Amino acid sequence: MTDKLDDNSADETKSNLPALVSQVGELVLAGSLEHAEEVFSKAADEHGDYAVAQVLTELPPQVTALHLSGFDGAKTSLATMLVPPKAWADSLAYIAATWQENMIEDDPERIAENLFNHVHGVVYAQDDEERRNELLEAASATDHGATVFAIMWSLAPKEILEVAGEILSKGRYVSGQTSADSDIVPLAVDLAKASEDGWERSLLELFPEFRHSAEMADIELPDDPDEESEFMQRSTRDLLLRLRKQVPSVRSRPARSPRRSLGTDIFS
């Protein structure tokens, strides 16, 4: 990937940026995601990858959410590979608006799995640890981001609790091994390494009765997911509805609510 442009290319990209943003936005809103990707590809060929990142920075986050929701790890997308961390984090606030309301009631697990595919596809689109950490840190630094991660954790709560305990006891030497294989666990470990605060917040979204992950060390969830637990745990459906209520108004986006730091450095 090319990251730098010479002065002439940078000036040309800047002059073409409004037209590119307008063109991509119109295509996305019209449902022509593949054509929008073709515009991205042409822009990358002519001006470098920086041009794509700039367009994604300038696009309204609700448009970026609509575009990226059409791609996952199984589909190649320049937008997925090049979206700046903040632009992606902002777009996650709107991703629930792309879901059909009846599916939240009828098949919440399917939506959560699609959400995992989306997050996984963006976070691991490039083999770049620094970019991965920046994406995870930016996404988990918001209230809606914490809910997004909690939705994914709700698909494997026992494994998430196991890895949370391992993180508490082993810190940076955590292996991520649990009693059951889950693709979600490696993402959880990487989030904890990228942002302790983001990891804590996502856990507290799933288990809202607790103040800190250390209080969860002795939780034992029932083996049967349909069996009621003595500990309050938000269901996948409840979290999906919670995220849907967090979709900001396009007319007035609320500022991030202040949150205190939730602990010391677990990987120190």
Side-chain angles (χ1 to χ4, degrees), residues 251-265:
R251 293 182 180 179
S252 59
R253 298 175 199 160
R256 177 187 170 189
S257 63
R259 283 282 188 98
R260 62 181 177 84
S261 178
L262 294 173
T264 56
D265 186 2

mmCIF file with all atom_site columns, all heavy atoms in Angstrom, residues 251-265:
data_model
loop_
_atom_site.group_PDB
_atom_site.id
_atom_site.type_symbol
_atom_site.label_atom_id
_atom_site.label_alt_id
_atom_site.label_comp_id
_atom_site.label_asym_id
_atom_site.label_entity_id
_atom_site.label_seq_id
_atom_site.pdbx_PDB_ins_code
_atom_site.Cartn_x
_atom_site.Cartn_y
_atom_site.Cartn_z
_atom_site.occupancy
_atom_site.B_iso_or_equiv
_atom_site.pdbx_formal_charge
_atom_site.auth_seq_id
_atom_site.auth_comp_id
_atom_site.auth_asym_id
_atom_site.auth_atom_id
_atom_site.pdbx_PDB_model_num
ATOM 1   N N   . ARG A 1 251 ? -29.179 15.129 12.315 1.00 0.00 ? 251 ARG A N   1
ATOM 2   C CA  . ARG A 1 251 ? -29.240 16.591 12.451 1.00 0.00 ? 251 ARG A CA  1
ATOM 3   C C   . ARG A 1 251 ? -28.381 17.086 13.609 1.00 0.00 ? 251 ARG A C   1
ATOM 4   O O   . ARG A 1 251 ? -27.796 18.147 13.550 1.00 0.00 ? 251 ARG A O   1
ATOM 5   C CB  . ARG A 1 251 ? -30.685 17.032 12.666 1.00 0.00 ? 251 ARG A CB  1
ATOM 6   C CG  . ARG A 1 251 ? -31.568 16.784 11.438 1.00 0.00 ? 251 ARG A CG  1
ATOM 7   C CD  . ARG A 1 251 ? -32.975 17.270 11.676 1.00 0.00 ? 251 ARG A CD  1
ATOM 8   N NE  . ARG A 1 251 ? -33.835 17.034 10.514 1.00 0.00 ? 251 ARG A NE  1
ATOM 9   C CZ  . ARG A 1 251 ? -35.123 17.350 10.489 1.00 0.00 ? 251 ARG A CZ  1
ATOM 10  N NH1 . ARG A 1 251 ? -35.697 17.906 11.541 1.00 0.00 ? 251 ARG A NH1 1
ATOM 11  N NH2 . ARG A 1 251 ? -35.840 17.116 9.410  1.00 0.00 ? 251 ARG A NH2 1
ATOM 12  N N   . SER A 1 252 ? -28.341 16.307 14.678 1.00 0.00 ? 252 SER A N   1
ATOM 13  C CA  . SER A 1 252 ? -27.546 16.739 15.838 1.00 0.00 ? 252 SER A CA  1
ATOM 14  C C   . SER A 1 252 ? -26.912 15.531 16.490 1.00 0.00 ? 252 SER A C   1
ATOM 15  O O   . SER A 1 252 ? -27.583 14.730 17.124 1.00 0.00 ? 252 SER A O   1
ATOM 16  C CB  . SER A 1 252 ? -28.426 17.458 16.862 1.00 0.00 ? 252 SER A CB  1
ATOM 17  O OG  . SER A 1 252 ? -29.461 16.619 17.294 1.00 0.00 ? 252 SER A OG  1
ATOM 18  N N   . ARG A 1 253 ? -25.609 15.368 16.298 1.00 0.00 ? 253 ARG A N   1
ATOM 19  C CA  . ARG A 1 253 ? -24.891 14.233 16.864 1.00 0.00 ? 253 ARG A CA  1
ATOM 20  C C   . ARG A 1 253 ? -24.478 14.550 18.286 1.00 0.00 ? 253 ARG A C   1
ATOM 21  O O   . ARG A 1 253 ? -23.810 15.553 18.527 1.00 0.00 ? 253 ARG A O   1
ATOM 22  C CB  . ARG A 1 253 ? -23.648 13.913 16.036 1.00 0.00 ? 253 ARG A CB  1
ATOM 23  C CG  . ARG A 1 253 ? -23.978 13.519 14.607 1.00 0.00 ? 253 ARG A CG  1
ATOM 24  C CD  . ARG A 1 253 ? -22.697 13.326 13.819 1.00 0.00 ? 253 ARG A CD  1
ATOM 25  N NE  . ARG A 1 253 ? -22.978 13.406 12.388 1.00 0.00 ? 253 ARG A NE  1
ATOM 26  C CZ  . ARG A 1 253 ? -22.065 13.664 11.486 1.00 0.00 ? 253 ARG A CZ  1
ATOM 27  N NH1 . ARG A 1 253 ? -20.825 13.888 11.835 1.00 0.00 ? 253 ARG A NH1 1
ATOM 28  N NH2 . ARG A 1 253 ? -22.385 13.720 10.213 1.00 0.00 ? 253 ARG A NH2 1
ATOM 29  N N   . PRO A 1 254 ? -24.860 13.714 19.252 1.00 0.00 ? 254 PRO A N   1
ATOM 30  C CA  . PRO A 1 254 ? -24.485 13.993 20.631 1.00 0.00 ? 254 PRO A CA  1
ATOM 31  C C   . PRO A 1 254 ? -22.996 13.816 20.853 1.00 0.00 ? 254 PRO A C   1
ATOM 32  O O   . PRO A 1 254 ? -22.349 12.974 20.235 1.00 0.00 ? 254 PRO A O   1
ATOM 33  C CB  . PRO A 1 254 ? -25.276 12.942 21.428 1.00 0.00 ? 254 PRO A CB  1
ATOM 34  C CG  . PRO A 1 254 ? -25.485 11.820 20.454 1.00 0.00 ? 254 PRO A CG  1
ATOM 35  C CD  . PRO A 1 254 ? -25.620 12.476 19.105 1.00 0.00 ? 254 PRO A CD  1
ATOM 36  N N   . ALA A 1 255 ? -22.446 14.627 21.740 1.00 0.00 ? 255 ALA A N   1
ATOM 37  C CA  . ALA A 1 255 ? -21.038 14.474 22.091 1.00 0.00 ? 255 ALA A CA  1
ATOM 38  C C   . ALA A 1 255 ? -20.860 13.230 22.936 1.00 0.00 ? 255 ALA A C   1
ATOM 39  O O   . ALA A 1 255 ? -21.802 12.759 23.572 1.00 0.00 ? 255 ALA A O   1
ATOM 40  C CB  . ALA A 1 255 ? -20.556 15.710 22.846 1.00 0.00 ? 255 ALA A CB  1
ATOM 41  N N   . ARG A 1 256 ? -19.642 12.700 22.923 1.00 0.00 ? 256 ARG A N   1
ATOM 42  C CA  . ARG A 1 256 ? -19.364 11.511 23.719 1.00 0.00 ? 256 ARG A CA  1
ATOM 43  C C   . ARG A 1 256 ? -19.562 11.810 25.197 1.00 0.00 ? 256 ARG A C   1
ATOM 44  O O   . ARG A 1 256 ? -19.101 12.825 25.719 1.00 0.00 ? 256 ARG A O   1
ATOM 45  C CB  . ARG A 1 256 ? -17.916 11.063 23.470 1.00 0.00 ? 256 ARG A CB  1
ATOM 46  C CG  . ARG A 1 256 ? -17.530 9.872  24.329 1.00 0.00 ? 256 ARG A CG  1
ATOM 47  C CD  . ARG A 1 256 ? -16.057 9.572  24.187 1.00 0.00 ? 256 ARG A CD  1
ATOM 48  N NE  . ARG A 1 256 ? -15.661 8.598  25.177 1.00 0.00 ? 256 ARG A NE  1
ATOM 49  C CZ  . ARG A 1 256 ? -14.408 8.268  25.412 1.00 0.00 ? 256 ARG A CZ  1
ATOM 50  N NH1 . ARG A 1 256 ? -13.449 8.806  24.717 1.00 0.00 ? 256 ARG A NH1 1
ATOM 51  N NH2 . ARG A 1 256 ? -14.109 7.377  26.335 1.00 0.00 ? 256 ARG A NH2 1
ATOM 52  N N   . SER A 1 257 ? -20.271 10.957 25.899 1.00 0.00 ? 257 SER A N   1
ATOM 53  C CA  . SER A 1 257 ? -20.485 11.158 27.321 1.00 0.00 ? 257 SER A CA  1
ATOM 54  C C   . SER A 1 257 ? -19.196 10.897 28.078 1.00 0.00 ? 257 SER A C   1
ATOM 55  O O   . SER A 1 257 ? -18.423 10.007 27.713 1.00 0.00 ? 257 SER A O   1
ATOM 56  C CB  . SER A 1 257 ? -21.573 10.205 27.842 1.00 0.00 ? 257 SER A CB  1
ATOM 57  O OG  . SER A 1 257 ? -21.166 8.865  27.687 1.00 0.00 ? 257 SER A OG  1
ATOM 58  N N   . PRO A 1 258 ? -18.931 11.692 29.122 1.00 0.00 ? 258 PRO A N   1
ATOM 59  C CA  . PRO A 1 258 ? -17.687 11.481 29.878 1.00 0.00 ? 258 PRO A CA  1
ATOM 60  C C   . PRO A 1 258 ? -17.716 10.161 30.619 1.00 0.00 ? 258 PRO A C   1
ATOM 61  O O   . PRO A 1 258 ? -18.720 9.778  31.186 1.00 0.00 ? 258 PRO A O   1
ATOM 62  C CB  . PRO A 1 258 ? -17.667 12.668 30.848 1.00 0.00 ? 258 PRO A CB  1
ATOM 63  C CG  . PRO A 1 258 ? -19.099 13.079 30.980 1.00 0.00 ? 258 PRO A CG  1
ATOM 64  C CD  . PRO A 1 258 ? -19.738 12.785 29.657 1.00 0.00 ? 258 PRO A CD  1
ATOM 65  N N   . ARG A 1 259 ? -16.616 9.448  30.595 1.00 0.00 ? 259 ARG A N   1
ATOM 66  C CA  . ARG A 1 259 ? -16.504 8.169  31.307 1.00 0.00 ? 259 ARG A CA  1
ATOM 67  C C   . ARG A 1 259 ? -15.170 8.151  32.028 1.00 0.00 ? 259 ARG A C   1
ATOM 68  O O   . ARG A 1 259 ? -14.152 8.532  31.473 1.00 0.00 ? 259 ARG A O   1
ATOM 69  C CB  . ARG A 1 259 ? -16.539 6.980  30.335 1.00 0.00 ? 259 ARG A CB  1
ATOM 70  C CG  . ARG A 1 259 ? -17.919 6.615  29.800 1.00 0.00 ? 259 ARG A CG  1
ATOM 71  C CD  . ARG A 1 259 ? -18.706 5.832  30.842 1.00 0.00 ? 259 ARG A CD  1
ATOM 72  N NE  . ARG A 1 259 ? -19.936 5.317  30.257 1.00 0.00 ? 259 ARG A NE  1
ATOM 73  C CZ  . ARG A 1 259 ? -20.057 4.072  29.799 1.00 0.00 ? 259 ARG A CZ  1
ATOM 74  N NH1 . ARG A 1 259 ? -19.024 3.258  29.835 1.00 0.00 ? 259 ARG A NH1 1
ATOM 75  N NH2 . ARG A 1 259 ? -21.188 3.656  29.288 1.00 0.00 ? 259 ARG A NH2 1
ATOM 76  N N   . ARG A 1 260 ? -15.180 7.702  33.252 1.00 0.00 ? 260 ARG A N   1
ATOM 77  C CA  . ARG A 1 260 ? -13.926 7.582  33.977 1.00 0.00 ? 260 ARG A CA  1
ATOM 78  C C   . ARG A 1 260 ? -13.168 6.352  33.492 1.00 0.00 ? 260 ARG A C   1
ATOM 79  O O   . ARG A 1 260 ? -13.738 5.433  32.921 1.00 0.00 ? 260 ARG A O   1
ATOM 80  C CB  . ARG A 1 260 ? -14.181 7.445  35.485 1.00 0.00 ? 260 ARG A CB  1
ATOM 81  C CG  . ARG A 1 260 ? -14.984 6.202  35.843 1.00 0.00 ? 260 ARG A CG  1
ATOM 82  C CD  . ARG A 1 260 ? -15.238 6.133  37.334 1.00 0.00 ? 260 ARG A CD  1
ATOM 83  N NE  . ARG A 1 260 ? -16.064 4.984  37.670 1.00 0.00 ? 260 ARG A NE  1
ATOM 84  C CZ  . ARG A 1 260 ? -15.614 3.757  37.851 1.00 0.00 ? 260 ARG A CZ  1
ATOM 85  N NH1 . ARG A 1 260 ? -14.332 3.508  37.696 1.00 0.00 ? 260 ARG A NH1 1
ATOM 86  N NH2 . ARG A 1 260 ? -16.427 2.768  38.173 1.00 0.00 ? 260 ARG A NH2 1
ATOM 87  N N   . SER A 1 261 ? -11.877 6.329  33.709 1.00 0.00 ? 261 SER A N   1
ATOM 88  C CA  . SER A 1 261 ? -11.085 5.151  33.400 1.00 0.00 ? 261 SER A CA  1
ATOM 89  C C   . SER A 1 261 ? -11.472 4.044  34.349 1.00 0.00 ? 261 SER A C   1
ATOM 90  O O   . SER A 1 261 ? -11.772 4.273  35.524 1.00 0.00 ? 261 SER A O   1
ATOM 91  C CB  . SER A 1 261 ? -9.594  5.454  33.547 1.00 0.00 ? 261 SER A CB  1
ATOM 92  O OG  . SER A 1 261 ? -8.835  4.309  33.304 1.00 0.00 ? 261 SER A OG  1
ATOM 93  N N   . LEU A 1 262 ? -11.508 2.817  33.854 1.00 0.00 ? 262 LEU A N   1
ATOM 94  C CA  . LEU A 1 262 ? -12.052 1.711  34.632 1.00 0.00 ? 262 LEU A CA  1
ATOM 95  C C   . LEU A 1 262 ? -11.008 0.818  35.264 1.00 0.00 ? 262 LEU A C   1
ATOM 96  O O   . LEU A 1 262 ? -11.329 -0.251 35.760 1.00 0.00 ? 262 LEU A O   1
ATOM 97  C CB  . LEU A 1 262 ? -12.980 0.868  33.736 1.00 0.00 ? 262 LEU A CB  1
ATOM 98  C CG  . LEU A 1 262 ? -14.233 1.591  33.277 1.00 0.00 ? 262 LEU A CG  1
ATOM 99  C CD1 . LEU A 1 262 ? -14.975 0.738  32.260 1.00 0.00 ? 262 LEU A CD1 1
ATOM 100 C CD2 . LEU A 1 262 ? -15.131 1.912  34.438 1.00 0.00 ? 262 LEU A CD2 1
ATOM 101 N N   . GLY A 1 263 ? -9.743  1.203  35.246 1.00 0.00 ? 263 GLY A N   1
ATOM 102 C CA  . GLY A 1 263 ? -8.780  0.322  35.907 1.00 0.00 ? 263 GLY A CA  1
ATOM 103 C C   . GLY A 1 263 ? -7.346  0.683  35.573 1.00 0.00 ? 263 GLY A C   1
ATOM 104 O O   . GLY A 1 263 ? -7.061  1.608  34.838 1.00 0.00 ? 263 GLY A O   1
ATOM 105 N N   . THR A 1 264 ? -6.457  -0.076 36.141 1.00 0.00 ? 264 THR A N   1
ATOM 106 C CA  . THR A 1 264 ? -5.040  0.111  35.865 1.00 0.00 ? 264 THR A CA  1
ATOM 107 C C   . THR A 1 264 ? -4.647  -0.722 34.650 1.00 0.00 ? 264 THR A C   1
ATOM 108 O O   . THR A 1 264 ? -5.467  -1.459 34.111 1.00 0.00 ? 264 THR A O   1
ATOM 109 C CB  . THR A 1 264 ? -4.210  -0.327 37.073 1.00 0.00 ? 264 THR A CB  1
ATOM 110 O OG1 . THR A 1 264 ? -4.537  -1.681 37.403 1.00 0.00 ? 264 THR A OG1 1
ATOM 111 C CG2 . THR A 1 264 ? -4.528  0.558  38.276 1.00 0.00 ? 264 THR A CG2 1
ATOM 112 N N   . ASP A 1 265 ? -3.426  -0.601 34.247 1.00 0.00 ? 265 ASP A N   1
ATOM 113 C CA  . ASP A 1 265 ? -2.965  -1.304 33.053 1.00 0.00 ? 265 ASP A CA  1
ATOM 114 C C   . ASP A 1 265 ? -2.833  -2.795 33.314 1.00 0.00 ? 265 ASP A C   1
ATOM 115 O O   . ASP A 1 265 ? -1.946  -3.245 34.011 1.00 0.00 ? 265 ASP A O   1
ATOM 116 C CB  . ASP A 1 265 ? -1.619  -0.719 32.618 1.00 0.00 ? 265 ASP A CB  1
ATOM 117 C CG  . ASP A 1 265 ? -1.144  -1.303 31.300 1.00 0.00 ? 265 ASP A CG  1
ATOM 118 O OD1 . ASP A 1 265 ? -1.899  -2.124 30.730 1.00 0.00 ? 265 ASP A OD1 1
ATOM 119 O OD2 . ASP A 1 265 ? -0.047  -0.951 30.856 1.00 0.00 ? 265 ASP A OD2 1
#
